[in-house]
Amino acid sequence: MADLLVEVAVNSAPGAIDKTLTYRVPPEMAAGVRVGSLVLVTVGKQMATGLVVDLQGGTGHSSLKDIRAVLEADFLPPHLVELGRYMAERYFCPLAVALSAMLPPATGRRLERRWRWVPTSGEETAASLNLAGYLPSPARAVAAYLAEVAVAGESQLRPFARGRELAGALKILATHGLIREEWNWRQAPGVRRPYWAVPRPGAAAALAGMERRAPRQARILRALLEGGPRPAADLAAGNGYTALRRLEEMGLIELTLGPPAGAEGMPPSRFEGGSEEYGNHGGAGGGVAPLQLNRDQEEALRAIEGALSQGGTFLLYGVTGSGKTEVYLRATRAALARGRRALFLVPEHSLIPQVVARLRQAVGDGVAVIHGNLSPGERAAIWERARRGEIRVIAGSRSALFAPLPDLGLIIVDEEHAGSYKQDAAPRYDAREVAIKRGHLEGAVVVLGSATPSTETFYLARRGAINLLQLPRRVENLSLPAVEIVDLREEFRAGHQGYLSRRLRQEVAAALAAGRQAILFLNRRGYAPHVLCRRCGYVPLCRHCDVALTYHQDGTLRCHYCGRGEPARANCPACGGSLVRLGAGTQRVEAEARALWPGARIIRADGDTTARKGRWEEIYRTFAGGHADILVGTQTIARGMDFPGVTLVGVVNADLSLYQPDFRARERTFQLLTQVAGRAGRKSAGKVIIQTYNPADPAITLAAAQDYRRFYEQEIAGRRAGGYPPFVKLVRVGFSGRDEAGVIEAAHDLAGSIKGAGAQIEVLGPAPGFPVRVQDNYRWQLVLKVPAWSRNKARLAGCLANYRPRHDIRMIVDVGPVNPW
Ligand SMILES: [Zn+2]
Ligand SMILES: [Zn+2]
């Protein structure tokens, strides 16, 4: 008779993850095994969990090991296993690594071995115990105990025997057919279902008197009243559990285990023209929410709805402020109305609170969040609920793409041009590509949206590979903000000091006088990026990375690569001359603004201020709620944020991203400036001031004109001429290690073998990474330009698979890299 054989991607055995292994399924387990089953196997002498990725029949495989147990028959949906295969092939990574992106954290699960008494009737048991009477003593005692309790774990058997003695006893009983090994895979008792907070009657009235007296409690109440019930952990982040408990004591909120049932439409929905009270101070859902879609929005929505039954991929290209979110929300409602589920991806977790608030207003209950900052326990709990179909919409960053939602009908990838959709660690996938694939596999509609689509995506749309939907106008006929370019060279010539030009100062002052808000944008944190001895040229470098240290206001010099810091000194260690601090980071701009406008309320949002969980949400609410006048920040504030009170945006230095050693530098500059400019004048006429030393550069002038089309035409022509994506596929192979000569040699070796393989692959390098040394590891890279990807891919895969670098050198393959290395 043919055996059932399974291919298993092993999850947890060290060293075994680079391949799948074949096992035999014992006949009694065969009925419960399918693609996606979680099984227990042995690898060498180690026990490991694994995922069944394929089933096959076969005979005469007596050398194969049996799987030990089926832990969960329907663990991962087969679609996701298929998606993992696609990723493994596309990004040259092992299947088990690709699948690891889809599995919940093992936290909270416990694997427990138990022993079950086999005889079922009293007669059988009596006979068996009689037999056991002839066995050595520990086995006899274990048998008597198991006959009584039916099933027990090893800890319960320890009173009778321990260690080797117990193992021996169990073995004897098993070979006599008296007991059977069993594996239990269960939620450890330590992990509770998450608590949810629900507002109670009287909460709205209590809020009014609370704002000043108890700001944390007020924030929590406001969030609940605006966005509806939420997990308590979300609220506690940044506000603290004490505030939550206090509110519960006062009877203003209720804490329930899990999301409350029937909470549908609980908070007054602004869509239905409900309470105005929460509509105006921006809060989480601030922004433009017209009841009536304009014609372009209407058309886009119709196209998406029309595809919900069969699936399809769209690019929703709409200028900033054109109401893309409104289209997403209604499309989501349409998908849910058809009994399907939806995924809503945003490029970074700082955007999630406002998206979730709007989703909850639009669709009511059943919205959950997945992002990189969740604790493993929270992730595992949401994963489980998603799989059971208890969640209808998941909003989150890149990793939410793999949520095991059944009946997926819609995937939204907002701000699709964002580099953060590419994962920098294995598996190095591109969430846009994988979203499109997942849509194909599950018959779901995929909507990529942006005001500044990536050149690659727009190219696909122009060629008809993706359906193009356009929103060319701002909603409510708001005009695009007026953009003015300030030439910093002239400021310098005129002897003007400071990082804010005379024009920008004037406009900020005018905005403040009018009671409006301003944003000052600079994509560099810290105080001064260049510290230098004017006498001898000494520059303090990180001892572990080849980069200059950045001066921070707290008096430290910090490495922005490895995060290490040291106290700054006033004098040069080489010559004793005095050290000067040049250039500006967000801290310096903030300091300058404070000196210029001492009466203004100024807050700062960058990697230093938003690192703590929940802190960004706090900054966002403060500013959106009108409790600050000027927001100084890095790109965190550039994306998709709705700040209705902002009429002025100042870009302190537009040139920062322009000279990065990367073919995407111009595109990134254009996107960033367009997005930042789009923050101005969401509710009324706005103004943008861009400061630059390159006032004639098209990336800057076209961003000022908000002319995406012309920028795209220039960019795509440049890519075609230079041989860059989308006309070739780029693959970066990075090598790193402590021995630089060895690293370079490894790069040369692989370059040689690829050149010798006879494919038309262009090999650039070896070239040093930038910086060449990070955390004491030297980094060198090859960049491969691969034309006709489908034709050359297999050859390249062969070269890469056959090449093994020295054990102390790490090799990293990155297909379609987004960030320079
Ligand atoms: Zn010096
Ligand atoms: Zn460093």
Side-chain angles (χ1 to χ4, degrees):
M1 211 186 91
D3 287 328
L4 176 62
L5 306 181
V6 288
E7 199 189 342
V8 176
V10 177
N11 298 322
S12 52
I17 54 165
D18 60 341
K19 54 175 179 246
T20 54
L21 302 170
T22 306
Y23 290 87
R24 199 185 74 100
V25 181
E28 70 272 17
M29 294 182 193
V33 174
R34 32 201 166 266
V35 167
S37 290
L38 185 71
V39 294
L40 187 68
V41 295
T42 43
V43 180
K45 297 214 153 155
Q46 294 282 319
M47 204 90 82
T49 57
L51 205 60
V52 173
V53 295
D54 200 14
L55 305 179
Q56 46 200 274
T59 43
H61 293 273
S62 54
S63 62
L64 289 177
K65 288 185 186 166
D66 282 359
I67 61 172
R68 297 284 295 264
V70 181
L71 300 175
E72 236 180 297
D74 299 300
F75 187 65
L76 195 69
H79 280 142
L80 289 180
V81 175
E82 194 54 39
L83 193 63
R85 279 194 190 284
Y86 161 85
M87 288 165 63
E89 200 184 306
R90 185 165 188 96
Y91 305 112
F92 299 121
C93 76
L95 179 56
V97 172
L99 290 170
S100 69
M102 305 178 190
L103 299 179
T107 326
R109 298 283 196 146
R110 215 158 57 188
L111 186 61
E112 186 192 43
R113 178 149 66 159
R114 303 191 304 187
W115 300 90
R116 182 176 290 281
W117 183 247
V118 174
T120 45
S121 68
E123 257 168 61
E124 269 179 47
T125 294
S128 302
L129 282 175
N130 199 14
L131 167 70
Y134 294 96
L135 299 177
S137 75
R140 216 158 53 217
V142 168
Y145 179 73
L146 280 172
E148 200 182 314
V149 300
V151 59
E154 268 174 79
S155 59
Q156 290 160 275
L157 299 175
R158 282 213 193 103
F160 309 104
R162 300 173 148 265
R164 197 168 293 181
E165 213 183 9
L166 177 59
L170 292 168
K171 193 167 181 189
I172 293 175
L173 293 172
T175 41
H176 282 81
L178 300 184
I179 62 171
R180 192 173 67 219
E181 174 195 79
E182 245 183 36
W183 291 90
N184 191 24
W185 172 250
R186 63 191 175 88
Q187 205 69 28
V191 173
R192 292 150 300 160
R193 282 169 68 206
Y195 273 104
W196 278 55
V198 185
R200 300 199 49 198
L207 177 63
M210 199 179 272
E211 298 276 2
R212 185 149 316 152
R213 199 164 35 80
R216 285 160 190 265
Q217 295 172 27
R219 268 202 302 274
I220 292 175
L221 272 195
R222 205 163 50 224
L224 288 172
L225 289 166
E226 283 167 4
R230 304 174 58 172
D234 288 7
L235 294 163
N239 297 313
Y241 275 101
T242 321
L244 269 176
R245 267 197 302 274
R246 187 49 59 71
L247 287 169
E248 194 196 16
E249 280 161 21
M250 292 189 292
L252 298 175
I253 65 168
E254 192 183 334
L255 295 177
T256 65
L257 259 185
E264 203 106 19
M266 220 166 102
S269 161
R270 270 199 280 142
F271 275 127
E272 322 300 346
S275 164
E276 259 314 299
E277 195 185 339
Y278 311 116
N280 284 335
H281 50 70
V288 201
L291 292 170
Q292 200 69 47
L293 296 185
N294 65 30
R295 214 190 56 231
D296 305 318
Q297 288 174 308
E298 200 68 71
E299 258 170 43
L301 180 62
R302 258 207 306 278
I304 296 168
E305 281 181 348
L308 279 173
S309 50
Q310 76 278 6
T313 304
F314 296 90
L315 168 62
L316 180 60
Y317 158 53
V319 298
T320 54
S322 61
K324 289 186 289 292
T325 308
E326 201 56 37
V327 175
Y328 299 148
L329 293 174
R330 296 198 189 210
T332 305
R333 278 211 292 215
L336 300 192
R338 287 166 171 77
R340 315 276 299 267
R341 293 185 175 75
L343 277 172
F344 195 126
L345 304 189
V346 292
E348 52 184 88
H349 69 260
S350 61
L351 290 171
I352 294 174
Q354 61 171 347
V355 164
V356 168
R358 296 196 65 180
L359 276 169
R360 288 196 174 126
Q361 281 162 354
V363 306
D365 201 19
V367 181
V369 169
I370 294 184
H371 58 77
N373 276 17
L374 291 181
S375 74
E378 289 167 322
R379 282 180 84 91
I382 291 173
W383 193 89
E384 192 53 48
R385 285 177 48 220
R387 194 179 58 148
R388 286 201 300 257
E390 293 172 15
I391 294 173
R392 302 195 298 159
V393 184
I394 286 187
S397 47
R398 175 179 77 218
S399 60
L401 174 58
F402 303 109
L405 289 174
D407 296 315
L408 186 62
L410 178 66
I411 306 176
I412 290 159
V413 183
D414 192 20
E415 311 280 332
E416 71 84 32
H417 60 276
S420 55
Y421 281 121
K422 181 69 166 45
Q423 167 138 313
D424 269 344
R428 296 183 162 74
Y429 64 90
D430 184 322
R432 287 159 291 212
E433 293 174 341
V434 180
I436 292 174
K437 181 67 180 179
R438 185 165 183 192
H440 278 310
L441 287 171
E442 305 190 28
V445 170
V446 179
V447 180
L448 310 176
S450 177
T452 53
S454 68
T455 304
E456 288 92 328
T457 303
F458 203 73
Y459 178 75
L460 288 177
R462 287 288 287 271
R463 298 198 1 159
I466 295 179
N467 301 296
L468 180 61
L469 305 171
Q470 306 192 62
L471 305 178
R473 275 175 289 271
R474 284 191 145 190
V475 291
E476 293 173 351
N477 292 320
L478 281 174
S479 52
L480 286 164
V483 183
E484 199 179 312
I485 296 177
V486 169
D487 186 346
L488 289 175
R489 295 169 306 182
E490 275 174 24
E491 292 293 298
F492 181 73
R493 271 181 233 127
H496 174 73
Q497 303 281 320
Y499 295 95
L500 306 177
S501 66
R502 291 163 297 177
R503 264 308 276 146
L504 185 50
R505 289 179 180 193
Q506 227 170 36
E507 288 296 336
V508 172
L512 292 177
R516 313 311 300 256
Q517 292 175 299
I519 289 178
L520 296 176
F521 170 83
L522 180 63
N523 211 9
R524 190 156 59 185
R525 65 196 168 89
Y527 186 84
H530 309 295
V531 178
L532 168 78
C533 170
R534 277 229 163 111
R535 199 194 297 170
C536 76
Y538 164 86
V539 172
L541 298 175
C542 175
R543 255 170 291 163
H544 306 276
C545 317
D546 268 354
V547 288
L549 297 171
T550 297
Y551 179 78
H552 281 241
Q553 238 172 346
D554 59 4
T556 58
L557 286 172
R558 287 206 207 128
C559 170
H560 284 189
Y561 273 81
C562 69
R564 285 191 181 86
E566 56 185 67
R569 39 176 133 210
N571 294 95
C572 172
C575 77
S578 62
L579 292 173
V580 292
R581 296 160 194 157
L582 304 172
T586 43
Q587 290 178 351
R588 191 164 213 165
V589 170
E590 184 193 1
E592 189 170 316
R594 282 190 192 287
L596 285 167
W597 303 289
R601 297 165 300 172
I602 301 175
I603 51 176
R604 179 162 57 86
D606 55 31
D608 297 315
T609 60
T610 59
R612 200 158 50 81
K613 202 175 167 184
R615 177 76 181 123
W616 163 247
E617 196 172 348
E618 207 177 307
I619 292 174
Y620 174 73
R621 281 177 181 283
T622 305
F623 195 62
H627 306 297
D629 306 308
I630 300 177
L631 174 61
V632 180
T634 52
Q635 64 179 359
T636 329
I637 62 174
R639 291 186 183 135
M641 293 284 165
D642 260 0
F643 296 118
V646 170
T647 50
L648 174 70
V649 171
V651 178
V652 178
N653 184 347
D655 307 333
L656 282 186
S657 55
L658 203 52
Y659 293 116
Q660 280 173 358
D662 180 21
F663 77 96
R664 285 199 182 87
R666 309 171 51 73
E667 178 183 294
R668 222 170 265 148
T669 304
F670 175 84
Q671 286 167 343
L672 203 54
L673 293 179
T674 309
Q675 298 280 340
V676 174
R679 295 312 108 212
R682 308 281 283 193
K683 268 258 161 32
S684 53
K687 180 162 244 163
V688 179
I689 291 187
I690 296 178
Q691 304 193 138
T692 173
Y693 287 98
N694 299 277
D697 191 292
I700 288 170
T701 56
L702 291 175
Q706 302 259 309
D707 191 344
Y708 174 78
R709 291 294 189 134
R710 260 182 70 197
F711 179 78
Y712 169 79
E713 295 303 342
Q714 289 199 2
E715 187 64 19
I716 199 77
R719 301 268 187 105
R720 194 190 298 271
Y724 281 104
F727 302 102
V728 299
K729 192 99 179 150
L730 286 191
V731 178
R732 175 170 60 220
V733 188
F735 297 85
S736 74
R738 302 214 160 205
D739 168 20
E740 189 171 20
V743 167
I744 297 173
E745 195 183 305
H748 271 298
D749 286 350
L750 180 66
S753 99
I754 292 173
K755 285 173 188 158
Q760 312 132 290
I761 298 172
E762 187 184 344
V763 182
L764 306 175
F770 179 79
V772 66
R773 188 173 57 121
V774 172
Q775 306 252 49
D776 293 324
N777 278 295
Y778 290 91
R779 309 164 343 133
W780 283 72
Q781 58 183 326
L782 298 175
V783 173
L784 314 176
K785 284 184 172 179
V786 188
W789 179 245
S790 50
R791 192 147 31 88
N792 289 315
K793 184 174 68 171
R795 260 214 196 111
L796 178 57
C799 290
L800 294 171
N802 288 331
Y803 183 76
R804 285 266 167 278
R806 235 165 59 187
H807 73 280
D808 60 335
I809 291 171
R810 212 160 94 88
M811 176 170 120
I812 293 161
V813 179
D814 194 346
V815 178
V818 162
N819 294 316
W821 199 58

